[in-house]
Amino acid sequence: YNSRSGGIVGLLSQMHDQFTADLSEAQKQDFQALVAFEKLRAAKLAEIATATEAKENAEAELADLLDKVAKAKEDKEATTAAMEADQDFLANMKKDCDSEDKQYKERSAIRSQELVALGETLKILTEDDARDLYSKSTMVFLQESDATASEGKAAAEDRLVQHVAQKLADAARKSKNWALASLAVRVRLDAFSKVKEAMD
């Protein structure tokens, strides 16, 4: 009986040793697997953190870029509007300058014609004919009585004015100078106005 139980006990002891060794090996493998898992997990978490940071940086850069694009678009629109306004202003300014230049040339031409007309008028007034007519008129003034002196003076002045106007008209026809012709008409009209005032 004792020999039989000793064999069973030995077998059980051997099985126990084998199970203990297997358990130890399994626990060792589990521990190694856990360590590997933790290492892998830490690496993956680090990769995730890096990727998340890169994603956030990329999103921030994208947002900044979109903001810059929007501002650049606004600046472009404002610049375009300002440029169009400047071009319109420049076109209007050029148009005004052309108009002013044209008006200045016209005024200068008129002034030149008026200066020529005045010069010719002075020349006419200082000619010998005008002096002789004025001298004759003066003699008439001295010879007439006090009652008719004013009438004779007015008539003499009228003759002188008509003579000057005729000379101006002749000079205007010869030179085709409209300013001079206008001056002749004004001289005659002024003389007529004075006669009318004397009649009134």
Side-chain angles (χ1 to χ4, degrees):
Y1 177 79
N2 290 333
S3 60
R4 292 180 181 178
S5 62
I8 294 172
V9 171
L11 180 61
L12 292 174
S13 177
Q14 185 179 359
M15 291 176 62
H16 176 268
D17 292 339
Q18 185 65 40
F19 288 153
T20 301
D22 291 342
L23 177 61
S24 176
E25 183 65 24
Q27 289 177 341
K28 182 179 179 182
Q29 291 178 357
D30 288 343
F31 179 74
Q32 290 176 348
L34 180 62
V35 171
F37 171 75
E38 291 296 335
K39 288 181 179 180
L40 179 62
R41 179 174 178 273
K44 294 301 179 183
L45 290 175
E47 290 178 2
I48 291 172
T50 302
T52 301
E53 183 179 2
K55 176 176 174 289
E56 291 175 352
N57 291 335
E59 288 176 348
E61 291 178 359
L62 178 61
D64 184 60
L65 180 61
L66 291 175
D67 182 63
K68 289 180 179 179
V69 169
K71 290 181 178 178
K73 185 177 180 181
E74 292 178 357
D75 291 342
K76 178 179 177 292
E77 292 175 352
T79 303
T80 302
M83 183 182 69
E84 291 176 353
D86 290 341
Q87 288 176 343
D88 291 340
F89 177 77
L90 180 62
N92 292 331
M93 182 65 69
K94 184 177 180 182
K95 183 178 178 181
D96 292 341
C97 287
D98 292 341
S99 177
E100 289 293 333
D101 184 58
K102 182 179 179 181
Q103 292 177 7
Y104 174 75
K105 289 180 179 178
E106 292 175 353
R107 289 195 301 269
S108 297
I110 292 173
R111 296 295 179 272
S112 298
Q113 292 177 354
E114 289 178 349
L115 288 174
V116 171
L118 289 173
E120 293 179 359
T121 303
L122 289 174
K123 181 179 178 182
I124 291 170
L125 292 175
T126 56
E127 286 179 347
D128 293 337
D129 293 342
R131 290 179 180 175
D132 292 342
L133 182 60
Y134 183 75
S135 297
K136 291 177 181 179
S137 300
T138 304
M139 292 299 294
V140 171
F141 297 155
L142 295 174
Q143 292 174 359
E144 290 180 345
S145 62
D146 294 337
T148 58
S150 60
E151 294 179 2
K153 181 179 179 182
E157 288 180 353
D158 183 62
R159 286 196 299 273
L160 179 60
V161 168
Q162 293 300 325
H163 177 72
V164 170
Q166 186 61 43
K167 287 284 188 179
L168 288 173
D170 293 341
R173 277 194 298 272
K174 289 179 182 179
S175 62
K176 295 182 180 180
N177 189 326
W178 297 111
L180 195 59
S182 176
L183 182 60
V185 172
R186 285 203 301 269
V187 168
R188 286 180 175 170
L189 290 176
D190 289 343
F192 178 74
S193 298
K194 290 180 179 179
V195 170
K196 185 177 179 182
E197 288 176 2
M199 291 175 64
D200 293 340

